[in-house]
Each structure stands twice: as C-alpha cells, then as structure tokens.
Amino acid sequence: MGAEIVVIGGGVGGTIVANLVAKQTQGRAHVTIVDATGIHVYQPGFLYVAIGLEQPAALQRPESQLLRHDVSLVIDGATRVDAAAHMVLLESGRRLQYDHLVLATGSRTMMGEVPGGLGAYDFYTLAGAKRLFAALEAFNKGTIVIGVAGIPYKCPPAPVEFAFLLDDYLRARGIRDKTEIKLLSPLNRAFTIEATSKLVQPILAERGIELTGFFNVESVDPVAKTVTSLEGETMGYDLLILVPPHRGQQVIESSRLGDERGWVPVDKNTLKHAQLPDIWAIGDTTSIPISKSGSVAHYEATVAAAEIAAEVKGEAPPAHVYDGKVMCFLETGQGKATTIRFDYDHPPVSPSPARRWHWAKALFNKTYWHTVPQGRLP
Ligand SMILES: Cc1cc2nc3c(=O)[nH]c(=O)nc-3n(C[C@H](O)[C@H](O)[C@H](O)COP(=O)(O)OP(=O)(O)OC[C@H]3O[C@@H](n4cnc5c(N)ncnc54)[C@H](O)[C@@H]3O)c2cc1C
C-alpha cells in the first residue's frame, strides 16, 4: 500500500498540493483532501461583488471538479489533529490516518473581536461583500470610512484597491461629489509595502480619497457612528467598512499546532512544521511574516508537493525551496492597475499603473479555474 497523504483545506493551496502530490507520486501515494464545505471559493472576486461588477455564483465551484480523479475528497470539517497518533479527527466522527499531513486551512475573519464592530460592512467574506453591495446601492450621500481592525489580514493591498474601485463606483453613479471616502491605515503610509504605497498615495490624493495614517481600529460606536483607534483618535462615518481581525482556524488552535492566534510556525523555505517533521503548512495558515495571498499559497504549495513526493519516492529533498515569492495585482481605478513583486532577497517593485495590468488581472480572474488549482502557472 502507498503512503497516506492527507491535506486539510480545499482552498488555493490545498487543492494545488493535493493535485501535484497525486501527479508526482504516480500511484505510490493515496491523497485525501478534507474540506469543510466542498465548495472552492475564489476570494479576490469579493472586491468586485461588493461594487456589483461580479456575480457571487462566478466565484464558486464544487471542489470535486478541480481535483484529479485519483485524489479522494472528503467533505467534512477537521476538528483535531492528533500528531502523536498521525490521525485527523473529523466532525462526522470519522478518523483519517496519515503518513504526511498538509495544513491548508486558511484563516478566519473575526469581526466579533472588534467592540461594537459587528454591524460594520466588509468585503472579506462572500456574504459580507453581498451585504456591502446592497448598502452601497442604497447610499446616496455622506462619508464612507474604510478601516483595518487587525494585522495580519489577507491581501494587504485590498483596502487601498477597494478605495479606488469604490471611487469608480460612486463616480459611475454620479454621486461622488456628494460623498467622501476616508481610508484609515494602521501604518504611516497606505499599506505595508513602502514602494507601492509611494506609488499609490499621489493617486489617492488625485481622486480625493483622504488617507489617515496610524489609525489602528480599536472599537466602533454604532449609535454615535464613530470609529476609534488604538492611538486615541475618533472619526465619524455614515457607512463603515472594516477589514476584520483574522486568526487561524479552530482546528489549529484545538490541536495546539500554532501560536496564540492559530498561525502555524513553519520553516520559511521548506514549509515544514517547526516541531513536527511529517506536517507541512502552506498559505494563510502559516505564521511566516509574508503577505497572506493566493499567490503565496500557490508558490508554497508547489514546494510542499515536491518535498512530499520526494519523501514518498525515497528521493533526496528537491533543491528548489520557497524563496518568499509574492506576485499581486493592485487595481488603481479608472481601468488601470499595477503589480507588486518581491521575494525574501528582493524588495518590492511596482510599475506605473497601466491598462495592461488591469486587463491582466481581469484575465487571471477568469482563467483561474483552468490553471491555478491544477498547479499551472497562468
Ligand atoms: C477581498 C480579498 C481579495 C483578495 N485578493 C487577492 C489577490 O488579488 N491576490 C492574491 O494572491 N490573493 C488575494 N486574496 C487572498 C487569497 O484569497 C487568500 O490568501 C488565499 O485564498 C489563501 O489560500 P489558502 O489555501 O491558504 O486558504 P483558503 O483559500 O482560504 O482555503 C482554506 C480552505 O480550508 C477549508 N477549511 C478551513 N477550516 C477547515 C477545517 N477545519 N476542516 C476542513 N476544511 C477547512 C475552507 O473551507 C477553505 O476551503 C484576497 C482575499 C480577499 C478576502
């Protein structure tokens, strides 16, 4: 019998790793992927759902359609990993034995951790994006505040990107002159990456989007309609959009595989768990201080898959390790976008916003289903 490989999480990273391990081990391993919903969700599309430019149905596909025929899919929630027994316990009561385990459970959004924040809008979940679009459609004048209620969060440029898309949306509706957009950043610049912040800040100013730095959202008063920062500043709003605090999944916390927020410590090159040699973690679930993004999950998945396949085949570890590569698009509105690329050894670079990057992002969003889950680079 071949090695048993179990992958928990059928998102970007988990799906790629499952498909690649099955392909590269050529029948010498049995790969099982466990996903809580069985539905694969393309999260970057939430931004467009929130402004009515994408339909929710276009962002979801059954996970079974994205897997190779020789990968087994179990639709169930993993509740605990018993690392000593090499066992994954599922909600249904089923148990899965593994030789090699990959944690690819992504992250949870926790708006409830923000005092008074539960009524705030967000574009970090599909339900949140749909609710935000309904609110924007009913919005005719006033101040929209976009804030960040905790670091780290998925896709660091997303709040800036959403501010630009919102500006386009309000202009298209002819109500931009009756509205204000205020973007609150936890840092002294638009977002984490300095070079790209320098590039986008003049464009924010040109579009009349007010940027306030050092505003880490701490609490919301939904009656007074104010948001207060850790730094002690208070700002009024008519419509509040928050990036919710994030943390790792409950299964990570219950299994004591991560830190106090459920992020899993791994070797930043091999993605192997810091203490447990048969466990890998990839994507949002790791504690590596790098963008929580689909591109990182993708690059990491290819590395973890090659390492697992080599172990199954009794070969030496592959020479190629994860080098910290990140590649993201950032919409700057009015039909233009830029990109952000870097790795552990090279600082971020972003070209001047251009139409071709906007179209490249649109093309990537549409072709995602046919390239990324299979581990192909588009
Ligand atoms: C608004 C928005 C915009 C974004 N834009 C970009 C972008 O432009 N570019 C980019 O690269 N990234 C972007 N991202 C980030 C990207 O979507 C995530 O970083 C990426 O999906 C992470 O992949 P993952 O495999 O780690 O986790 P996910 O894709 O989140 O998958 C996790 C999977 O684990 C499953 N799961 C969780 N817990 C359990 C459990 N206990 N048992 C079984 N299954 C479980 C879930 O059902 C899910 O299928 C964006 C995200 C958002 C929200």
Side-chain angles (χ1 to χ4, degrees):
M1 211 174 94
E4 286 293 338
I5 316 298
V6 175
V7 179
I8 311 179
V12 185
T15 305
I16 297 172
V17 91
N19 281 331
L20 290 183
V21 172
K23 184 177 176 190
Q24 291 168 13
T25 52
Q26 298 162 324
R28 292 165 72 174
H30 174 232
V31 182
T32 303
I33 186 164
V34 182
D35 190 74
T37 65
I39 303 295
H40 190 104
V41 182
Y42 184 61
Q43 300 171 31
F46 296 171
L47 286 172
Y48 305 94
V49 169
I51 48 160
L53 289 182
E54 185 55 281
Q55 292 301 319
L59 305 179
Q60 303 172 83
R61 292 218 181 159
E63 176 69 5
S64 56
Q65 292 180 6
L66 305 172
L67 295 171
R68 284 167 58 95
H69 68 279
D70 50 358
V71 173
S72 304
L73 171 65
V74 174
I75 301 175
D76 207 336
T79 52
R80 201 162 66 80
V81 175
D82 182 341
H86 278 210
M87 185 98 77
V88 179
L89 287 73
L90 306 182
E91 265 168 34
S92 63
R94 199 170 156 189
R95 288 154 183 257
L96 298 174
Q97 197 79 42
Y98 66 81
D99 295 303
H100 304 283
L101 176 69
V102 182
L103 305 170
T105 44
S107 53
R108 287 183 283 168
T109 57
M110 310 292 293
M111 197 69 99
E113 289 185 355
V114 184
L118 272 181
Y121 293 93
D122 79 275
F123 50 83
Y124 267 74
T125 59
L126 192 49
K130 287 196 261 184
R131 181 172 162 261
L132 173 54
F133 180 54
L136 288 174
E137 286 287 273
F139 190 83
N140 293 314
K141 62 177 168 44
T143 301
I144 301 178
V145 171
I146 305 169
V148 176
I151 287 177
Y153 60 90
K154 278 182 272 199
C155 193
V160 175
E161 201 170 17
F162 188 71
F164 284 128
L165 294 176
L166 180 62
D167 175 66
D168 282 357
Y169 165 85
L170 296 171
R171 284 176 200 271
R173 281 189 51 204
I175 56 168
R176 185 65 179 97
D177 55 343
K178 295 186 209 145
T179 55
E180 278 186 87
I181 303 176
K182 295 188 177 183
L183 178 63
L184 312 178
S185 170
L187 307 167
N188 63 344
R189 51 181 181 265
F191 73 110
T192 41
I193 297 166
E194 197 172 353
T196 317
S197 292
K198 278 190 184 150
L199 185 74
V200 298
Q201 279 167 205
I203 313 173
L204 287 170
E206 196 183 289
R207 304 274 160 80
I209 299 167
E210 187 185 302
L211 175 66
T212 303
F214 293 129
F215 198 114
N216 285 278
V217 171
E218 184 180 44
S219 63
V220 179
D221 183 337
V223 178
K225 291 201 162 192
T226 56
V227 55
T228 299
S229 70
L230 276 172
E231 294 80 2
E233 204 176 328
T234 293
M235 189 173 283
Y237 66 83
D238 294 299
L239 194 153
L240 176 65
I241 303 170
L242 287 186
V243 174
H246 285 43
R247 69 191 296 163
Q249 298 288 357
Q250 186 62 53
V251 60
I252 306 294
E253 297 188 22
S254 307
S255 312
R256 298 176 183 274
L257 291 173
D259 62 18
E260 68 288 349
R261 294 290 292 177
W263 309 123
V264 181
V266 292
D267 180 285
K268 69 174 192 168
N269 296 122
T270 66
L271 293 324
K272 270 198 180 194
H273 194 285
Q275 285 93 33
L276 301 160
D278 300 317
I279 300 184
W280 282 256
I282 55 170
D284 290 355
T285 199
T286 81
S287 65
I288 303 177
I290 201 163
S291 305
K292 293 197 181 299
S293 69
S295 72
V296 168
H298 187 161
Y299 297 126
E300 290 179 346
T302 61
V303 169
E307 287 171 9
I308 293 169
E311 287 200 16
V312 167
K313 293 191 277 184
E315 294 171 357
H320 176 68
V321 293
Y322 178 59
D323 60 0
K325 190 170 173 190
V326 178
M327 154 64 196
C328 286
F329 294 103
L330 192 168
E331 300 266 23
T332 52
Q334 303 190 357
K336 291 186 181 175
T338 180
T339 63
I340 308 167
R341 293 161 198 260
F342 57 98
D343 60 38
Y344 292 143
D345 299 323
H346 299 92
V349 286
S350 290
S352 295
R355 288 191 189 282
R356 68 174 178 283
W357 300 120
H358 165 74
W359 287 115
K361 179 162 187 173
L363 185 69
F364 181 87
N365 288 345
K366 292 293 171 205
T367 54
Y368 169 84
W369 302 104
H370 310 286
T371 54
V372 176
Q374 296 76 19
R376 287 184 212 122
L377 289 170

